Amino acid sequence: VDLIHTKPEKWLDKQTPDLSKRVNRELAIFALTRLGQRDVEEAAARWVKLQSRFGKEDQAYVWGQLAFSAAKSHHPSAVEWYGRAAAAPLTDDQLAWRARAAMRDGNWPEVKAAVEAMTVTARADPTWIYWEARALRAAGDAEGAQQRFRRIAGEHHFYGKLATEEMGEVLAVPGRTEMPTKADLEEAARTPGLARALALFRLEMRTEGVREWNWTLRGMSDRQLLAAAELARRSELWDRAINTAERTQTAHDFTLRFLAPYREAFASGAKTQGIEEHWVLGLVRQESRFIVGARSSAGASGLMQLMPATAKWMAKKNGMTDYSPARVTDPDVNIALGTGYLRYVLDELDGSPVLAAAAYNAGPGRARRWKADRPLEGAVYAESIPFNETRDYVKKVMSNTMYYAALYGGEIRPLKTRLGTIPPKRGGEGYAATITGSATVQ
């Protein structure tokens, strides 16, 4: 088992097991599944030769595993292999990737079938409500599509905005509720947990302060949450203000949810680089929540979460002769370097803010590899990003951008327009078919 886990191809090469025994069949299936996670083309080629020695249930199961890996690597045979797995019980995660592979192919009947096969809980996710609606509309069921769009239209997330647009409506920022009164703010300041949290922040014990703050918010009403958010804003705890304001259910203040500290510096950096200020703000909100000293576990620092090597490279590229690593958290330096890098990835990736956001989070090479061999709708590209973190990041950055533009005097454009169309891969970036039902990476 240890050998299969680390070197499945070595076990498959050395073993000629008696496949009439269940234990040997299961070891072979484990080896093929592990190999498929790293090299799905090689695993499929081996399985084509072996599958006749397995029962129908095992055959369907293995094709389901290979199709799952193929979909996440954007292999062109993923949908076909899911078809071979029709008899296998698939998890919601496998079905989600079946739907993503199908939408990249423009195969709407397959998208519809994948969503319909999900559990009730999974189908209730706004992601799959939206894509099922799109599939129904493609099938000519306009009424069914509208009914599903209506379920999520107006919700404050990526698919809520897209559903709103599909219904012919435009983004409307919820009206600001009554401002917290002086008494509300005094009550918030007297709340023991919030007072302890503020003291911890003053002592630069951020981790403890965040825990104390979040624990204290439990059970608060919307009015109390907005007062706590305003207290955080006045204390320049931008992340606590944003996150606290996001917790409200019916009473909202989107000026707190979408704060823009250091806005002059961001506007200047964006103007210098010729990029949209509101897109930059949307990205920084996702990166650091405007915390100057933010530092990730990977070593990224500052407002725009720059990796040391990236910051050094951009400083050299910008001719910043007085740069040192200690300056990376200086807001002006960080913004100048971060907006410069955004301009760089935007130029490298066809001028697409979707691709550039993916590149900012996961690297330009990955953002390129995730393109298709034909033009892709921006929302399809975003939804089919293989990394969960990056997929969520890109959708939130683009959603944030809409609100920043609406709140701070930007151009109000539909989200679908902002997402645009992702151009196809250039030569040598894709797959070329080799064996039946398979392909090889070029």
Side-chain angles (χ1 to χ4, degrees):
V1 170
D2 286 341
L3 176 63
I4 292 171
H5 185 74
T6 56
K7 297 179 180 178
E9 68 283 358
K10 186 174 180 181
W11 185 88
L12 288 165
D13 287 339
K14 284 188 174 183
Q15 302 297 319
T16 53
D18 178 2
L19 293 177
S20 66
K21 295 182 178 179
R22 176 177 175 178
V23 65
N24 291 334
R25 292 197 305 276
E26 292 191 356
L27 287 171
I29 288 171
F30 178 38
L32 288 159
T33 301
R34 286 292 298 169
L35 180 58
Q37 292 167 1
R38 187 170 67 240
D39 186 347
V40 72
E41 168 69 12
E42 174 66 16
R46 289 175 182 266
W47 181 233
V48 166
K49 296 174 183 178
L50 284 175
Q51 65 176 336
S52 62
R53 300 170 66 186
F54 289 75
K56 291 188 181 299
E57 288 186 2
D58 285 344
Q59 289 184 30
Y61 175 83
V62 173
W63 280 118
Q65 296 298 313
L66 296 180
F68 184 44
S69 294
K72 289 193 288 184
S73 62
H74 300 156
H75 192 290
S77 295
V79 173
E80 178 197 342
W81 294 352
Y82 268 116
R84 299 185 187 188
L90 301 177
T91 66
D92 282 333
D93 202 17
Q94 286 176 303
L95 290 165
W97 277 103
R98 177 184 170 191
R100 291 178 181 123
M103 67 177 72
R104 284 176 70 91
D105 283 356
N107 187 336
W108 293 105
E110 180 70 9
V111 173
K112 180 175 178 289
V115 176
E116 288 177 346
M118 293 177 184
T119 63
V120 172
T121 301
R123 289 184 70 180
D125 186 289
T127 301
W128 304 120
I129 292 173
Y130 175 81
W131 289 111
E132 185 178 21
R134 289 283 303 274
L136 287 170
R137 189 174 65 188
D141 184 358
E143 184 178 345
Q146 285 294 99
Q147 185 270 330
R148 283 161 179 77
F149 286 138
R150 197 174 297 114
R151 284 177 61 187
I152 58 173
E155 294 181 3
H156 312 308
H157 50 67
F158 183 81
Y159 284 115
K161 294 178 182 65
L162 286 177
T164 298
E165 292 172 7
E166 297 288 357
M167 295 182 65
E169 301 171 9
V170 296
L171 172 70
V173 178
R176 194 174 186 182
T177 57
E178 184 179 346
M179 288 285 291
T181 64
K182 182 180 178 181
D184 292 333
L185 290 170
E186 289 174 349
E187 180 185 348
R190 288 194 304 269
T191 302
L194 299 184
R196 284 193 297 270
L198 292 174
L200 289 165
F201 285 121
R202 287 193 294 271
L203 292 169
E204 298 185 0
M205 298 174 68
R206 169 161 285 278
T207 299
E208 294 81 358
V210 167
R211 290 173 178 168
E212 187 73 35
W213 185 274
N214 290 347
W215 181 263
T216 307
L217 297 182
R218 295 170 309 121
M220 282 191 176
S221 67
D222 283 357
R223 189 181 186 89
Q224 290 172 315
L225 287 169
L226 291 175
E230 176 61 18
L231 179 66
R233 187 193 68 80
R234 295 185 182 189
S235 302
E236 297 189 358
L237 296 172
W238 316 120
D239 62 327
R240 292 306 92 208
I242 291 169
N243 290 12
T244 303
E246 276 194 326
R247 289 175 178 245
T248 59
Q249 299 298 310
T250 57
H252 305 300
D253 186 342
F254 272 61
T255 62
L256 285 172
R257 287 195 186 197
F258 293 90
L259 290 171
Y262 314 104
R263 190 182 168 203
E264 287 186 7
F266 282 117
S268 176
K271 183 177 181 180
T272 298
Q273 297 299 335
I275 55 181
E276 185 185 358
E277 171 196 353
H278 310 100
W279 178 53
V280 177
L281 290 170
L283 182 141
V284 175
R285 184 183 187 273
Q286 200 58 30
E287 284 286 349
S288 67
R289 289 290 198 265
F290 301 98
I291 298 302
V292 169
R295 185 175 179 83
S296 76
S297 58
S301 300
L303 291 167
M304 298 193 70
Q305 289 292 277
L306 297 171
M307 293 295 288
T310 303
K312 182 179 179 181
W313 180 74
M314 281 306 306
K316 183 177 180 180
K317 185 176 174 65
N318 288 357
M320 192 179 291
T321 56
D322 59 345
Y323 174 76
S324 69
R327 299 189 63 197
V328 74
T329 55
D330 178 278
D332 291 333
V333 172
N334 193 275
I335 291 168
L337 297 178
T339 53
Y341 185 66
L342 265 180
R343 177 76 260 177
Y344 167 76
V345 294
L346 194 65
D347 290 342
E348 286 288 302
L349 291 155
D350 310 297
S352 165
V354 174
L355 288 174
Y360 200 91
N361 182 263
R366 291 191 179 102
R368 289 190 192 95
R369 287 198 297 274
W370 296 336
K371 295 197 295 185
D373 58 3
R374 63 183 184 84
L376 276 185
E377 181 185 332
V380 172
Y381 175 91
E383 185 54 48
S384 60
I385 290 172
F387 293 178
N388 293 343
E389 177 192 327
T390 306
R391 184 168 63 252
D392 182 64
Y393 175 90
V394 170
K395 290 191 288 189
K396 285 183 176 175
V397 166
M398 298 308 297
S399 179
N400 293 346
T401 302
M402 296 285 290
Y403 282 122
Y404 277 111
L407 289 167
Y408 297 97
E411 182 183 0
I412 307 301
R413 288 185 289 152
L415 177 56
K416 203 165 186 178
T417 301
R418 287 182 174 276
L419 296 172
T421 299
I422 307 302
K425 290 180 181 178
R426 297 183 178 89
E429 293 180 341
Y431 286 95
T434 52
I435 67 169
T436 301
S438 302
T440 184
V441 179
Q442 299 222 317

